[in-house]
Amino acid sequence: MTEPYAVPVPRGYRVGAWEVREPIATGAFGSVYTGRRAGGKDAGLPRTAALKFLPTGTGTPRQLAHLRDLIQREIDLHRRLRRPRLIRMYESLVVDDPDRPELDGATVLVLERAEGSLSALLTASPRPAAGPTLLAQICEGLAQLHRAGWVHGDLKPANVLLMPDGSARLADFNMAAELEGTHAYTPAFSTPDYTPPELLWAEIGERGRRIRPSADVWAFGVLAHLVLTDSFPLSGATPTARRDAAAAYARGTDELRLSPELPDAWREIVRDCLARTHEARIGTEALLRHVEAAAGTGRSPRLPRLFPRRARRRTLIAGAAAATAAVAALGYGITTWAGTPGGGHGHGPGDDIDRAALASYGAGELRTDRGVPAGYRKLIVDSAHACSQPDVTPALIAAMLKAESNFDPDLSDPGNQEFGIARWTPAVLRWWMRDDGVPASATPTPPLTPSVSIPAMGRYLCYIDPRLKAGLPGDKRVLIAASYRTSYGKVNDTGGVPPKWRDYCARVAHYLKEYTPQGSW
């Protein structure tokens, strides 16, 4: 692993009946590894599983309280619900290892091992032929949850896992909540593209945000439109623009314009899911009947194998095109895929295909032939897309990372208190490392991972852009880079790039031109 994992666990480490094998994915707080059962036979446990490590023994009190709440939600649901369309949890463990303080006290969820996620499938093969059947199975999973009195709260492609037989399972129940009458209460986190308008600016009480099953129905409508047309139902080039479009639609000042490529059998289904108000949305049971009819399934059948046995570790083969992507984590509640800078993972015959898929991510905005490490392309492109300012582009972020560190994730400059791929000062990073605008409760300690550093850079550049004076000479993107090195106030007062930073900005300008696709400069 070139990029440090949030919870580093050595290969061969034993926890319970499990031996840790190769890594799968990591995020800001947790990491997932393949686990192999050690010892004798156990009728209740499979030979392999996914081990999700969450550091509930270390961290600040605020972080621990938040993590424990999310983990307890997931454990409660898994322990109380066993449904064929929900990913299975076999057991939960707590690490007891005082000699390893970074692991001691960590919670480990032993989960069913999937072959990939719907997110990775859509990246590899937009509008997959199996899409309607997968949607029927996803809807069946929602119906199973709602019948049992639970709301998922975060339905999206990354949280739909695909099994070795090609079937779909719902996963990542961190935001799931049990209904109390007509409502449940969930943490105030969600993915804007899949959040209904009434929740985008909902009031947050002591118990969190009130949510109804109709929120899952809205998310299903968005997901169905994406699977079937390779586009979102609400227009906009960025999540922020699409969020604004959703608000305008909910107010009645804009209409819902579904893609003409949406099959007729699905058009009314999506419209019923995306009704302006929660009261007008279709109920889950009626939705399931309509979806199964449109998909041509009674009880959703198993799909043909999507994963060839020779490349089952990491490779996702999508239909006859055999296109592959491993750019999204496997939906275990881990949000950042952790590949090496080269894009491969060093585990088996699928690596070359994984590398090719990562290396082409965002090719229309970031050149693929100028040395931007494949393992960072998704972070760079997605961080730029999260900003609505047109000057904050993938090429700008890539050029700045090149000038800052030459893409070195392990950069350490203690004299200047700068660390990691974006040369963050930890005390400054804490203000930009969260996407909810709230500073982290504790200053991060190096090493600083790219999965934290790169999105934080995107947020800070997005903050800088509108604060630069209009009419300053030069390329505004370069002025943004100068502001990152000093401040937007200094750039405004100087009337351009300060002399001290002209060499730095010349390098950024050079790489900006290198990384911008021809015809876009």
Side-chain angles (χ1 to χ4, degrees):
M1 292 177 293
T2 299
E3 180 180 338
Y5 265 36
V7 186
V9 186
R11 186 182 177 93
Y13 188 79
R14 288 285 298 271
V15 55
W18 302 95
E19 180 182 278
V20 172
R21 307 301 291 175
E22 52 275 332
I24 296 175
T26 192
F29 294 107
S31 301
V32 182
Y33 297 81
T34 296
R36 186 176 67 183
R37 182 166 48 79
K41 294 182 178 180
D42 188 323
L45 296 175
R47 178 174 175 77
T48 61
L51 306 181
K52 179 176 176 179
F53 283 78
L54 296 153
T56 44
T58 59
T60 67
R62 181 177 176 182
Q63 288 173 337
L64 293 180
H66 174 63
L67 273 172
R68 285 170 180 154
D69 176 58
L70 296 183
I71 294 164
Q72 196 58 50
R73 288 172 178 274
E74 188 162 4
I75 290 174
D76 285 348
L77 186 144
H78 279 301
R79 284 179 174 168
R80 296 169 61 181
L81 298 184
R82 289 287 180 90
R83 302 291 188 273
R85 293 292 173 217
L86 310 184
I87 202 72
R88 183 179 179 187
M89 183 182 78
Y90 298 107
E91 58 179 333
S92 63
L93 306 166
V94 177
V95 176
D96 182 10
D97 192 349
D99 293 334
R100 289 183 177 272
E102 73 280 7
L103 283 177
D104 190 38
T107 297
V108 182
L109 306 186
V110 182
L111 301 167
E112 198 169 9
R113 180 74 163 95
E115 293 289 342
S117 70
L118 180 60
S119 178
L121 175 61
L122 295 178
T123 301
S125 180
R127 301 171 63 183
T133 303
L134 289 173
L135 288 171
Q137 295 178 349
I138 294 164
C139 192
E140 189 178 348
L142 278 186
Q144 291 169 359
L145 269 180
H146 292 179
R147 286 178 201 136
W150 288 74
V151 179
H152 188 284
D154 196 22
L155 179 65
K156 58 186 177 182
N159 291 342
V160 176
L161 297 186
L162 303 180
M163 309 309 291
D165 65 359
S167 62
R169 309 275 179 94
L170 301 189
D172 187 3
F173 302 111
N174 291 335
M175 304 297 167
E178 191 170 14
L179 286 167
E180 301 175 17
T182 59
H183 293 80
Y185 295 86
T186 67
F189 302 103
S190 59
T191 305
D193 273 325
Y194 299 89
T195 302
E198 68 269 14
L199 294 183
L200 286 171
W201 292 277
E203 182 178 348
I204 309 301
E206 289 184 3
R207 300 181 60 193
R209 183 174 58 185
R210 294 207 313 172
I211 190 173
R212 305 174 181 88
S214 59
D216 287 343
V217 171
W218 172 281
F220 179 84
V222 175
L223 187 148
H225 194 278
L226 182 66
V227 168
L228 298 170
T229 71
D230 190 29
S231 66
F232 286 101
L234 292 154
S235 61
T238 67
T240 300
R242 292 190 290 270
R243 180 197 63 194
D244 292 344
Y249 166 63
R251 290 194 300 266
T253 58
D254 201 359
E255 295 300 318
L256 188 65
R257 299 178 181 88
L258 302 181
S259 169
E261 296 182 355
L262 187 65
D264 290 341
W266 290 88
R267 188 165 294 274
E268 286 308 309
I269 292 174
V270 173
R271 283 193 178 279
D272 288 343
C273 290
L274 302 182
R276 283 191 172 96
T277 65
H278 72 88
E279 299 96 337
R281 285 174 211 144
I282 189 171
T284 314
E285 294 297 334
L287 174 62
L288 178 59
R289 292 194 297 272
H290 291 315
V291 166
E292 289 182 334
T297 63
R299 284 291 97 183
S300 303
R302 290 185 173 184
L303 298 171
R305 177 176 291 277
L306 298 178
F307 311 96
R309 293 184 183 277
R310 59 177 289 274
R312 285 183 62 182
R313 279 184 178 171
R314 291 285 176 88
T315 306
L316 173 62
I317 302 298
T324 303
V327 298
L330 295 181
Y332 294 108
I334 301 297
T335 58
T336 304
W337 181 265
T340 67
H345 307 281
H347 300 293
D351 290 344
D352 290 339
I353 304 178
D354 288 352
R355 186 178 297 112
L358 286 170
S360 65
Y361 191 82
E365 301 170 275
L366 185 62
R367 288 186 66 163
T368 61
D369 58 346
R370 287 296 186 267
V372 177
Y376 302 140
R377 289 187 67 93
K378 179 170 172 58
L379 279 170
I380 290 168
V381 173
D382 288 354
S383 296
H385 286 178
C387 176
S388 60
Q389 303 295 335
D391 294 302
V392 179
T393 64
L396 173 60
I397 293 177
M400 290 180 60
L401 294 173
K402 176 70 173 179
E404 293 286 347
S405 68
N406 196 27
F407 298 111
D408 180 1
D410 301 316
L411 182 142
S412 179
D413 184 358
N416 289 314
Q417 275 294 295
E418 294 178 342
F419 302 91
I421 195 169
R423 277 189 174 268
W424 276 108
T425 298
V428 178
L429 174 61
R430 71 179 287 262
W431 291 88
W432 302 101
M433 62 191 293
R434 290 170 55 125
D435 59 8
D436 58 5
V438 178
S441 56
T443 299
T445 302
L448 307 176
T449 67
S451 62
V452 171
S453 298
I454 295 174
M457 174 183 269
R459 293 182 200 110
Y460 188 33
L461 301 186
C462 198
Y463 171 82
I464 290 169
D465 186 320
R467 289 165 174 79
L468 287 170
K469 288 181 180 177
L472 291 176
D475 187 327
K476 189 175 183 182
R477 295 169 296 179
V478 177
L479 296 172
I480 292 170
S483 301
Y484 182 81
R485 270 285 108 204
T486 172
S487 71
Y488 68 83
K490 183 68 172 178
V491 172
N492 286 337
D493 292 343
T494 304
V497 176
K500 179 179 178 180
W501 300 109
R502 284 175 185 166
D503 287 345
Y504 167 81
C505 287
R507 295 198 306 275
V508 170
H510 169 78
Y511 293 119
L512 184 57
K513 190 169 184 178
E514 281 266 302
Y515 297 152
T516 301
Q518 294 178 353
S520 301
W521 179 256

